[in-house]
């Protein structure tokens, strides 16, 4: 058995189709001065060939379902952008002219340099962009040595696709109905392969480091995307065990799906709004399939990723209007740019630098108020998109009342400018709210209530900042505990203050999507939870078994405790009983 990351749920038994990536031998030659222009010309021919390939792939991706096709089109456009007046090309040409490297060596060297900078960033989503850089570079290098584009046309129906890594270009050539599962040696939950697998409903295990070793095409393979397990050449006992698990999973999935159209309410008829968190447009279809009644957190950073430029108001408007329109009359909460520090956009990388402590540095609303031109463009795009449905504007990393006052001033100035320009925007502007994810904001909640139309608690950062623990740091991650009494009391105090001030409140973050914590939120009086699309049905199932009055009583017993271990035991006991 090979362990990896279960990136998309499901259990599949099938035959392996091994995607054999050919090794590219980079010949390193120092060229003479009179050969420089020849190598530069070769570089540009390789770029032209690469762009032609990507455009053909984009055309082929139209065979996928609409949401997947749109997402791949977005990525392939980003790849084409990387090959046009980019740091990649400038760096390669500089190396040819100044260091007299031959073209393929120059491309290999600059790709390694850029990818290394990305992989040094702790944020998993951003670090995953290193894969995009490598993909573009490998394609360019293949063109430079005359290799043609590879094809996946020979994959048999139901095949389990196994590769060192899968790129968006690989995905564009797939027929999703013919693929049983994905297994890759490289990749994480934030990468495009994981996102596409979830969007297409294909089970996937990523990061299975030893998967290629000793495996042949046609071998029988079991993929368990729930546990993150891959069984190569299974025994009869393995086939019996995982066959039973697959039947159980299919039955459980069918039961969950049967609840899709049921009300999100407790046994005593207390209704809870269940919304979804998304970071890419492709996820909207999954949101609707899982019965969400809105998008509680749309992370707007996707519009800034994979671009060497900053998207203008019109480009952002087109992206946001598309999402809002797809959700029809369901509410969409759009978070303004939460980028900065570790979360670098390529177009801002040189300007911002990294700072000594990026998590506590120039990011979120701090960056938006430093660069009001960025904030104005985003608010204008959101206001224009609000004509297509229900929209709310959420501001991240808020600490002080003054920050929200300043954002609101910019908000009204942008609205006035749009009206002067003849844009049709709502007479009553969409609600403007604050993320409560820093302890100082939670403790200032009554003051913030005077300048905010709504609140959203971000449990991931609130836990991290309250406990002063970086959960991505392996040395301390085991101490990251959302059940620490300080976290629970902060959430409870914010909930009480929101009611006291009549300001709507939601909770987003991983706690909201874990059914284990549903009784606690219910007992604290929270009535709006937002989570990943895949968590919606399990949380609804848990919610429908609960009674609000019993949950309130049990929650109060838990809030009286100071020992996290005791709290965990009490919560587990309650979950076992109710």
């Amino acid at each position: 058995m090979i362990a990896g990351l279960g990136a998309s749920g499901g259990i599949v038994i099938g035959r392996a189709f091994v995607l054999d990536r050919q090794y590219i031998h980079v010949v390193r030659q120092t060229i003479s001065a009179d050969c420089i222009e020849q190598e530069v010309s070769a570089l540009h021919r390789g770029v032209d060939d690469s762009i032609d390939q990507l455009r053909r792939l984009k055309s082929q991706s139209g065979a996928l379902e609409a949401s997947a096709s749109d997402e791949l089109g977005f990525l392939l456009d980003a790849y084409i952008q990387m090959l046009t007046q980019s740091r990649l090309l400038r760096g390669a040409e500089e190396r040819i002219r100044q260091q007299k490297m031959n073209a393929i060596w120059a491309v290999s060297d600059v790709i390694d340099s850029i990818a290394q900078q990305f992989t040094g960033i702790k944020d998993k989503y951003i670090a995953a962009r290193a894969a995009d850089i490598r993909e573009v570079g490998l394609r360019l290098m293949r063109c430079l040595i005359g290799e043609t584009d590879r094809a996946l046309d020979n994959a048999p129906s139901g095949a389990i696709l196994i590769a060192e890594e899968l790129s968006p270009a690989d995905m564009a050539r797939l027929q999703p109905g013919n693929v049983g599962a994905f297994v890759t040696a490289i990749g994480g939950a934030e990468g495009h392969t994981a996102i596409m697998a979830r969007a297409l409903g294909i089970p996937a295990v990523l990061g299975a480091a030893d998967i290629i070793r000793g495996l042949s095409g046609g071998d029988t393979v079991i993929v368990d995307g729930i546990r993150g397990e891959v069984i190569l050449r299974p025994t009869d006992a393995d086939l019996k065990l995982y066959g039973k698990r697959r039947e159980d999973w299919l039955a459980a999935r069918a039961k969950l799906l049967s609840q899709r159209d049921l009300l999100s309410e407790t046994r005593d008829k207390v209704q809870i709004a269940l919304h979804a968190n998304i970071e890419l447009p492709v996820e909207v279809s999954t949101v609707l399939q899982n019965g969400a009644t809105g998008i509680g957190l749309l992370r707007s950073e996707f519009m800034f990723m994979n671009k060497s430029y900053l998207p203008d108001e019109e480009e952002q408007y087109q992206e946001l209007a598309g999402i809002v329109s797809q959700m029809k009359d369901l509410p969409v909460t759009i978070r303004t740019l939460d980028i900065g520090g570790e979360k670098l956009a390529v177009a801002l990388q040189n300007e911002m630098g990294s700072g000594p402590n990026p998590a506590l540095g120039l990011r979120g609303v701090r960056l938006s108020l430093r660069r009001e031109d960025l904030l104005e463009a985003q608010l204008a795009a959101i206001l224009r998109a609000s004509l297509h449905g229900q929209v709310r504007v959420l501001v991240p990393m808020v600490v002080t009342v003054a920050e929200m006052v300043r954002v609101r001033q910019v908000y009204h100035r942008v609205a006035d400018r749009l009206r002067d320009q003849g844009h049709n925007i709502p007479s009553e502007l969409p609600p403007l709210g604050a993320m409560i994810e820093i302890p100082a904001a939670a403790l200032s909640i009554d003051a913030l209530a005077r300048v905010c139309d709504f609140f959203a608690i971000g449990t991931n950062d609130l836990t991290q900042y309250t406990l002063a623990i970086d959960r991505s740091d392996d040395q301390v991650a085991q101490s990251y505990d959302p059940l620490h009494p300080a976290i629970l009391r902060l959430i409870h105090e914010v909930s009480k203050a929101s009611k006291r001030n009549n300001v709507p409140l939601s909770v987003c973050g991983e706690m909201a999507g874990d059914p284990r914590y549903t009784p606690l939120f219910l007992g604290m009086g929270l009535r709006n939870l937002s989570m990943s699309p895949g968590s919606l049905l399990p949380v609804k199932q848990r919610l429908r078994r609960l009674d609000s009055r019993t949950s309130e009583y049990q929650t109060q017993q838990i809030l009286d405790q100071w020992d996290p271990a005791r709290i965990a035991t009490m919560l587990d006991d309650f979950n076992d009983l109710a």
Side-chain angles (χ1 to χ4, degrees):
M1 190 268 285
I2 295 177
L5 170 70
S8 181
I11 299 173
V12 174
I13 301 172
R15 300 285 184 181
F17 180 84
V18 181
L19 181 60
D20 183 19
R21 291 186 179 279
Q22 294 182 9
Y23 174 73
I24 297 180
H25 178 59
V26 177
V27 177
R28 300 183 177 188
Q29 291 181 336
T30 302
I31 60 176
S32 59
D34 56 359
C35 291
I36 288 177
E37 294 306 321
Q38 179 181 335
E39 287 300 304
V40 171
S41 295
L43 172 67
H44 288 288
R45 282 197 302 275
V47 169
D48 291 342
D49 290 345
S50 298
I51 290 175
D52 286 345
Q53 288 181 1
L54 290 167
R55 285 177 175 156
R56 285 198 297 273
L57 287 169
K58 185 178 178 183
S59 177
Q60 293 172 17
S61 71
L64 300 174
E65 68 176 61
S67 58
S69 176
D70 290 346
E71 172 60 16
L72 283 174
F74 166 75
L75 291 169
L76 295 171
D77 281 341
Y79 283 8
I80 292 171
Q81 184 67 36
M82 287 183 205
L83 288 163
T84 308
Q85 297 298 317
S86 64
R87 183 181 172 193
L88 163 62
L89 289 189
R90 291 195 303 273
E93 191 163 333
E94 283 175 8
R95 283 164 170 78
I96 293 172
R97 294 188 183 282
Q98 297 175 9
Q99 301 179 43
K100 295 184 174 54
M101 294 179 175
N102 60 330
I104 192 169
W105 183 14
V107 172
S108 173
D109 192 63
V110 73
I111 288 296
D112 287 346
S113 174
I114 295 174
Q116 184 62 38
Q117 293 174 29
F118 273 75
T119 51
I121 296 171
K122 289 183 179 178
D123 184 279
K124 293 179 180 177
Y125 181 85
I126 308 299
R129 303 291 74 77
D132 297 329
I133 300 290
R134 283 194 294 270
E135 166 63 19
V136 171
L138 286 170
R139 178 172 298 281
L140 177 52
M141 285 191 283
R142 287 192 180 96
C143 287
L144 287 172
I145 60 177
E147 283 188 12
T148 57
D149 204 11
R150 294 170 299 110
L152 299 174
D153 298 340
N154 295 327
S157 178
I160 294 177
L161 187 58
I162 295 180
E164 188 75 15
E165 191 172 14
L166 287 173
S167 70
D170 294 323
M171 306 290 278
R173 292 194 295 273
L174 289 176
Q175 296 297 320
N178 292 338
V179 177
F182 298 139
V183 182
T184 65
I186 299 172
E190 310 298 327
H192 294 305
T193 303
I195 292 170
M196 291 299 297
R198 291 193 290 267
L200 295 170
I202 297 175
V205 174
L206 309 183
D210 296 326
I211 189 64
I212 301 293
R213 189 179 305 165
L215 183 68
S216 301
D219 283 350
T220 299
V221 177
I222 299 173
V223 179
D224 185 340
I226 303 167
R227 294 177 175 81
E229 297 173 352
V230 184
I231 314 298
L232 307 182
R233 294 181 286 277
T235 64
D236 289 343
D238 292 330
L239 291 169
K240 184 176 181 181
L241 172 63
Y242 283 88
K244 177 65 169 58
R245 286 181 178 177
R246 173 176 165 78
E247 289 176 4
D248 292 343
W249 173 75
L250 289 172
R253 181 64 185 164
K255 188 174 182 180
L256 277 177
L257 287 173
S258 71
Q259 304 202 18
R260 177 190 177 283
D261 297 322
L262 298 179
L263 291 174
S264 303
E265 63 178 16
T266 62
R267 289 162 51 198
D268 55 335
K269 306 301 181 187
V270 174
Q271 296 197 3
I272 308 294
L274 297 184
H275 293 176
N277 305 333
I278 68 168
E279 57 185 311
L280 291 172
V282 69
E283 295 177 272
V284 173
S285 59
T286 310
V287 169
L288 297 172
Q289 288 164 10
N290 284 281
T293 53
I295 293 176
L297 177 63
L298 168 57
R299 300 179 176 97
S300 60
E301 294 79 56
F302 75 91
M303 296 183 288
F304 293 77
M305 301 301 176
N306 298 316
K307 289 185 173 71
S308 59
Y309 63 94
L310 295 172
D312 62 14
E313 173 190 320
E314 180 63 24
E315 183 174 345
Q316 293 187 56
Y317 160 70
Q318 294 292 341
E319 293 279 7
L320 296 175
I323 294 172
V324 174
S325 297
Q326 287 185 73
M327 292 298 292
K328 301 187 186 301
D329 294 327
L330 298 176
V332 178
T333 299
I334 302 171
R335 188 180 69 184
T336 57
L337 192 61
D338 187 11
I339 210 159
E342 293 180 339
K343 298 179 178 180
L344 288 176
V346 174
L348 291 168
Q349 188 173 5
N350 293 333
E351 177 183 347
M352 296 174 54
S354 57
N357 194 340
L360 306 180
L362 185 62
R363 54 172 294 199
V365 70
R366 301 166 189 176
L367 172 63
S368 293
L369 293 179
R370 175 76 66 86
R371 287 284 308 267
E372 286 194 6
D373 57 322
L374 297 179
L375 179 62
E376 287 190 13
Q378 191 150 43
L379 291 175
I382 295 172
L383 281 172
R384 291 172 59 192
S386 69
L387 282 179
H388 299 273
Q390 292 188 55
V391 165
R392 302 195 306 175
V393 185
L394 183 60
V395 182
M397 293 293 290
V398 170
V399 174
T400 68
V401 169
E403 290 169 335
M404 284 304 296
V405 169
R406 183 59 189 153
V407 171
R408 192 174 288 278
Q409 289 171 344
V410 176
Y411 194 41
H412 285 281
R413 185 173 74 212
V414 168
D416 290 342
R417 189 253 293 171
L418 289 174
R419 291 190 182 105
D420 290 343
Q421 292 175 339
H423 288 287
N424 184 21
I425 62 172
S427 55
E428 184 175 344
L429 298 184
L432 181 67
M435 284 285 286
I436 306 301
E437 52 191 337
I438 297 174
L443 295 169
S444 307
I445 197 69
D446 285 302
L448 285 170
R450 300 174 193 164
V451 293
C452 293
D453 299 322
F454 69 97
F455 295 129
I457 297 176
T459 59
N460 297 353
D461 275 345
L462 183 63
T463 303
Q464 174 166 280
Y465 291 132
T466 301
L467 302 183
I469 288 174
D470 181 351
R471 61 181 181 156
S472 66
D473 184 338
D474 293 339
Q475 298 189 72
V476 295
Q478 72 279 2
S479 299
Y480 179 92
D481 184 4
L483 290 180
H484 190 289
I487 308 300
L488 301 184
R489 290 179 183 209
L490 280 175
I491 295 173
H492 192 215
E493 289 304 314
V494 171
S495 176
K496 290 191 294 184
S498 297
K499 285 183 184 174
R500 189 164 59 238
N501 292 285
N502 196 29
V503 176
L505 170 68
S506 63
V507 176
C508 53
E510 292 185 10
M511 284 185 78
D514 188 337
R516 183 189 183 203
Y517 302 128
T518 304
L520 275 179
F521 292 136
L522 180 64
M524 291 182 190
L526 290 153
R527 298 295 181 260
N528 189 318
L529 305 177
S530 189
M531 60 205 71
S532 65
S535 298
L536 286 162
L537 292 175
V539 169
K540 180 188 283 191
Q541 185 181 53
R542 182 75 191 98
L543 183 65
R544 289 178 60 83
R545 293 174 180 166
L546 295 171
D547 178 278
S548 68
R549 290 156 299 191
T550 307
S551 294
E552 287 170 11
Y553 174 78
Q554 293 291 344
T555 298
Q556 190 55 57
Q557 304 302 305
I558 287 172
L559 287 170
D560 288 340
Q561 300 296 319
W562 279 102
D563 179 4
R566 174 63 180 154
I567 288 173
T569 300
M570 290 176 69
L571 182 59
D572 288 342
D573 288 346
F574 180 46
N575 276 315
D576 288 341
L577 292 172

